[in-house]
Amino acid sequence: MARPDKVAPGQTAGSAVRTIAVTRQDARTAKAAARRDAILDAALDEFSAKGFASARLEDVAKRAGIAKGTIYLYFADKETLFQELIRAKMVPVVGSIELALATGLPLRAIVEQAIEIFVREVYGTRRREVIRLLISEGPRFPAVAEFYYREVLSRLLKALRGMLRSAHERGELKSDALVRFPMLLGAPGIIAIVWSGLFDRFEPIDVRAMMRVYFDNLFGTGRAA
């Protein structure tokens, strides 16, 4: 790293100072981002262990290895922390699904892509814990449920309706029932997440295979319904 009193060849003292300032700012930004991620991971641990109502910010801080007051530099309160947990964990995968649904490929090809994204990016990660939390905590905390609907579900439903409407217009769907009720396509994913939390240790399931069976029954094997 260049220092003001040891200027690199071809570099002025002023540019050396600016380089040092930028490097230090980048380091501070990276440190802040890492600390924010650590808080979010600790919050997911704490919310999953105790539920949203019983979780305390001091315990989140302890899990993250920071002082409680440090949390308030990043999040205003516990509800904001939960909302940012949803945004950080779920919104990126929503974008991936939106892109898959907008490809214009045949319906079954899109369904296969969506299955892979769900298994790889949701079911196979801690994102399924976020969804599980929403299922258990959402009825008691409607503001959190509303936030999830606005940031995640409304976008997915809009993308699904557009994809299904196009499939219907191409003749791949015999009726517009799924256009009206696109949430039916999410049913096997929710079943898999609930099952994994309650019964997986007794009878684990092959999630990909189960979802394919579901869509075969919904659309017919190898053809649209």
Side-chain angles (χ1 to χ4, degrees):
M1 182 187 296
R3 292 171 49 190
D5 57 342
K6 292 187 178 181
V7 179
Q11 187 177 39
T12 66
S15 65
V17 170
R18 287 192 294 274
T19 298
I20 293 170
V22 169
T23 300
R24 288 175 177 170
Q25 180 60 42
D26 289 345
R28 286 194 293 268
T29 300
K31 183 178 180 180
R35 180 170 289 172
R36 186 178 187 276
D37 289 343
I39 293 170
L40 290 172
D41 287 340
L44 182 53
D45 288 338
E46 193 67 17
F47 293 151
S48 297
K50 298 180 180 177
F52 180 70
S54 299
R56 303 184 307 169
L57 288 182
E58 51 261 47
D59 293 328
V60 173
K62 187 181 299 183
R63 284 182 184 268
I66 60 174
K68 177 183 175 181
T70 303
I71 288 182
Y72 294 107
L73 298 176
Y74 299 86
F75 309 102
D77 50 35
K78 189 167 68 170
E79 185 171 298
T80 301
L81 176 56
F82 199 176
Q83 291 176 346
E84 289 303 313
L85 178 63
I86 291 169
R87 182 179 282 121
K89 298 296 185 184
M90 302 306 300
V91 170
V93 77
V94 171
S96 297
I97 294 174
E98 285 175 329
L99 288 173
L101 296 178
T103 58
L105 292 171
L107 178 59
R108 291 308 296 264
I110 293 176
V111 166
E112 282 297 318
Q113 287 187 7
I115 290 173
E116 288 304 311
I117 292 172
F118 173 80
V119 174
R120 184 180 66 250
E121 302 294 340
V122 179
Y123 189 82
T125 72
R126 301 198 70 193
R127 289 186 176 104
R128 68 178 177 180
E129 296 176 41
V130 177
I131 296 175
R132 200 177 292 141
L133 271 169
L134 258 295
I135 293 171
S136 63
E137 302 291 325
R140 293 189 294 164
F141 301 97
V144 173
E146 180 183 352
F147 181 85
Y148 188 84
Y149 176 83
R150 185 173 66 250
E151 297 289 324
V152 178
L153 283 183
S154 64
R155 288 176 56 182
L156 289 176
L157 290 173
K158 180 180 179 181
L160 280 169
R161 285 191 174 100
M163 181 272 291
L164 291 166
R165 189 176 292 111
S166 295
H168 182 235
E169 291 170 355
R170 293 194 302 266
E172 293 183 80
L173 294 172
K174 293 178 181 178
S175 78
D176 68 346
L178 288 175
V179 179
R180 290 182 288 121
F181 302 108
M183 56 285 295
L184 286 171
L185 296 189
I190 297 300
I191 291 171
I193 288 170
V194 172
W195 185 274
S196 70
L198 295 174
F199 309 119
D200 205 50
R201 65 187 185 277
F202 307 119
E203 188 173 340
I205 55 176
D206 181 333
V207 178
R208 280 188 183 84
M210 184 190 76
M211 294 183 79
R212 285 175 179 141
V213 167
Y214 174 85
F215 288 115
D216 282 346
N217 278 281
L218 187 64
F219 299 130
T221 305
R223 59 184 174 80

